Amino acid sequence: MDYSRLSKSELIQLLEQRNCEYDALKQHTVDEKYRVLLESVNDVLYEYDREGVITFISPLIEVVSGYSANEIVGSNIRDFLHIDNIYFAEKIQQIKSEKKVLSEYEIFHKNGTTRWLQLSTRAIFCKEEFCGGTGVMTDITDRKQAELKIRESEALYKSILNSSPDNITMTDLQGNILLWSENGAKMFGYPVDFDFSGHSILEYIHESDRSRALDAIHTRLSTGEPTSTNEFKALKADGSFFWIEVSWEAIESDPHVREKLIFIIRDVTSRVETERQLQKAEENYRRLLENINEVVYDIDVDGTVRYISPTIERVAGFLPEEVIGQKMYLLLGESYELYLSRVEQLIANKLQIREQKIRDKRGEERWVRFSTNAVFEDDKFIGASGTLIDITDRKLMEIELQRSEALYSSILNVSPDSIILTDMTGIVVYVSPAIF
């Protein structure tokens, strides 16, 4: 173009046109850079006026809410956030006074689901007058869902802690208490709100058992092998002791990286006392059985000896362990058929008493007296128990007496003299044959 032929007015008009084109190109370049910047930001940028009307919101809002920016611009932010007028007015007042406010809201996505947003809003002032707000909107739905799962997990964890009759305790690797359940406080005689934090778990173990408890923990940590359940004396708040059963496990954040210890503690005082009473009763019963002259035995339905007292060694020379597990009728040298016959009689009569010869461990004959009781369970015969006593001496005396009487009778019967015997009252009790 030949600018020399243009008039001054045409030149001015051309210059203004070129300036407008330059300004438009410059604005387009700025707008393009601004658009690229907005699209590269992961958060939503927004702005609203003093009434809360949204004047600008970045396109990313469509990903967050399902609504396009054009659908949202011009609406009120309180409607977008589903908050009432009173709460909105309070928030505007807070933004005015604090200049910057961080808030969280639950909104409805266009598809009907809910999303959580965090708004960081900064107040805009025009000549010291509040004229709106601008800020960044972040989708925190994943974080909120994770927090909800954590709260649900903590609620479940707490309900398990409080519903378990056992004491569930967590400590660090040095045994310092980090958590102690409410039932644990009751178990040890403390108020449920007592703070056990910082106390060592060993403080609540009786001093006579502390070293053993510490050794067990060290063994678990050093070997990595689970320890068997242990019983310890524990201390209550009033200084009295009771018995507890403890099992524990190490908590690992990563394989072989132990961070904490979890203890399950159960009050077993009643069980321990019952076991000790039972043990004492068994000891007394055993001493009684060891010192009485009679042998106590118990057999099952097929004649197998389940128990026999130590006195059997004095009577027959056998140790109890040599007899237990053996068939009683075989030890007596009897047949199974005879055993079954005696069982039938025992079931019918409930009690059976008999005297018979047996052979002891040396093979010598001994006379014993059996007294056997049938044992029933729900009217079903399940075995027998009873006693046997050595009557060898008595039997030998009876045999000797019978021999003596037979000899005495034969002498009287062959005597040529008449012999009459009377008692102290004169009544005749014997007349020899010679008198006839």
Side-chain angles (χ1 to χ4, degrees):
M1 179 179 286
D2 189 359
Y3 295 105
S4 62
R5 295 184 179 183
L6 297 176
S7 64
K8 182 178 181 181
S9 60
E10 289 174 335
L11 287 172
I12 292 173
Q13 185 178 0
L14 179 61
L15 181 61
E16 289 177 347
Q17 181 181 350
R18 293 293 173 86
N19 284 337
C20 288
E21 291 175 352
Y22 175 76
D23 289 341
L25 178 62
K26 182 179 178 182
Q27 183 63 41
H28 174 75
T29 303
V30 171
D31 289 346
E32 182 64 20
K33 289 181 179 179
Y34 185 55
R35 184 186 65 78
V36 172
L37 178 63
L38 288 179
E39 290 178 352
S40 64
V41 175
N42 291 325
D43 295 328
V44 177
L45 304 180
Y46 62 91
E47 185 174 303
Y48 58 83
D49 63 18
R50 71 183 66 201
E51 301 299 328
V53 177
I54 299 172
T55 57
F56 169 79
I57 196 162
S58 58
L60 190 62
I61 188 62
E62 189 168 0
V63 177
V64 174
S65 68
Y67 297 95
S68 67
N70 290 335
E71 291 177 285
I72 295 176
V73 171
S75 63
N76 199 292
I77 195 166
R78 68 173 176 269
D79 297 327
F80 175 73
L81 298 176
H82 301 283
I83 55 178
D84 58 38
N85 291 336
I86 297 176
Y87 184 76
F88 176 69
E90 292 174 351
K91 277 296 175 184
I92 292 295
Q93 192 60 40
Q94 184 183 6
I95 292 170
K96 287 180 181 179
S97 60
E98 298 180 11
K99 306 303 188 289
K100 185 177 180 181
V101 173
L102 193 68
S103 306
E104 294 180 358
Y105 301 94
E106 187 178 22
I107 68 163
F108 290 99
H109 192 278
K110 195 173 185 177
N111 62 14
T113 61
T114 58
R115 309 291 293 179
W116 276 93
L117 301 178
Q118 183 183 77
L119 274 64
S120 178
T121 307
R122 187 183 296 274
I124 300 175
F125 291 91
C126 305
K127 296 181 181 180
E128 299 184 356
E129 269 191 38
F130 176 75
C131 58
T134 184
V136 178
M137 188 182 296
T138 305
D139 186 347
I140 59 170
T141 304
D142 291 342
R143 192 196 79 192
K144 277 291 187 179
Q145 289 176 345
E147 289 176 353
L148 177 61
K149 289 181 179 178
I150 291 172
R151 286 197 299 271
E152 290 175 347
S153 176
E154 288 177 345
L156 176 62
Y157 181 58
K158 187 174 181 180
S159 67
I160 293 173
L161 283 179
N162 293 335
S163 62
S164 172
D166 300 332
N167 174 21
I168 302 176
T169 298
M170 184 184 297
T171 74
D172 59 21
L173 296 183
Q174 288 71 45
N176 298 312
I177 296 171
L178 304 174
L179 178 146
W180 188 286
S181 64
E182 290 183 3
N183 283 331
K186 296 175 184 176
M187 182 186 297
F188 282 76
Y190 290 88
V192 293
D193 58 351
F194 184 82
D195 186 9
F196 290 89
S197 301
H199 291 266
S200 171
I201 194 171
L202 293 175
E203 293 178 29
Y204 305 97
I205 301 295
H206 194 276
E207 59 182 357
S208 63
D209 276 351
R210 281 178 193 163
S211 61
R212 185 165 62 88
L214 189 60
D215 288 344
I217 294 174
H218 286 165
T219 299
R220 174 66 181 90
L221 292 176
S222 61
T223 64
E225 296 296 328
T227 56
S228 58
T229 302
N230 288 276
E231 292 179 358
F232 302 100
K233 274 185 179 180
L235 287 173
K236 288 197 173 187
D238 60 5
S240 61
F241 78 87
F242 66 111
W243 286 95
I244 58 173
E245 180 182 81
V246 183
S247 57
W248 59 86
E249 185 62 59
I251 300 175
E252 299 180 350
S253 57
D254 294 309
H256 310 300
V257 180
R258 301 183 184 93
E259 288 189 347
K260 299 178 181 68
L261 295 172
I262 188 81
F263 294 85
I264 309 298
I265 302 173
R266 176 171 297 177
D267 185 347
V268 292
T269 305
S270 177
R271 191 195 74 196
V272 171
E273 289 179 350
T274 300
E275 288 175 352
R276 292 194 168 193
Q277 291 173 1
L278 179 60
Q279 184 180 8
K280 185 176 180 180
E282 288 177 347
E283 289 175 354
N284 292 336
Y285 181 64
R286 185 172 59 253
R287 282 196 300 268
L288 176 64
L289 293 180
E290 289 174 353
N291 289 288
I292 63 174
N293 292 324
E294 295 183 354
V295 177
V296 179
Y297 60 88
D298 180 67
I299 60 175
D300 64 16
V301 69
D302 66 353
T304 302
V305 180
R306 293 183 293 205
Y307 171 80
I308 196 159
S309 62
T311 313
I312 189 64
E313 186 176 6
R314 293 204 306 263
V315 174
F318 294 101
L319 295 173
E321 53 267 29
E322 295 177 306
V323 177
I324 293 174
Q326 303 295 322
K327 303 294 184 184
M328 177 68 87
Y329 59 86
L330 294 179
L331 293 171
L332 299 177
E334 298 174 343
S335 66
Y336 183 62
E337 290 73 21
L338 179 58
Y339 167 74
L340 290 179
S341 173
R342 285 183 173 157
V343 167
E344 291 178 1
Q345 295 174 14
L346 180 62
I347 293 174
N349 301 323
K350 306 298 188 295
L351 173 65
Q352 188 178 86
I353 298 175
R354 72 180 189 276
E355 297 178 355
Q356 69 179 83
K357 286 191 293 187
I358 66 169
R359 291 192 177 273
D360 62 18
K361 192 173 183 179
R362 297 186 299 272
E364 298 177 357
E365 288 187 346
R366 309 288 298 177
W367 277 92
V368 294
R369 180 178 183 269
F370 286 91
S371 178
T372 307
N373 291 281
V375 178
F376 295 89
E377 187 175 278
D378 297 328
D379 296 328
K380 181 180 179 181
F381 177 73
I382 61 170
S385 62
T387 61
L388 68 86
I389 187 171
D390 187 350
I391 59 171
T392 304
D393 292 342
R394 194 200 76 193
K395 274 292 185 181
L396 292 177
M397 290 179 62
E398 289 177 355
I399 293 171
E400 186 61 32
L401 179 59
Q402 290 173 359
R403 289 175 181 173
S404 177
E405 288 179 346
L407 177 61
Y408 174 70
S409 178
S410 63
I411 292 173
L412 293 178
N413 289 337
V414 300
S415 174
D417 299 324
S418 298
I419 301 173
I420 299 175
L421 297 177
T422 65
D423 60 17
M424 297 299 294
T425 62
I427 296 175
V428 175
V429 295
Y430 174 78
V431 177
S432 66
I435 198 171
F436 301 106

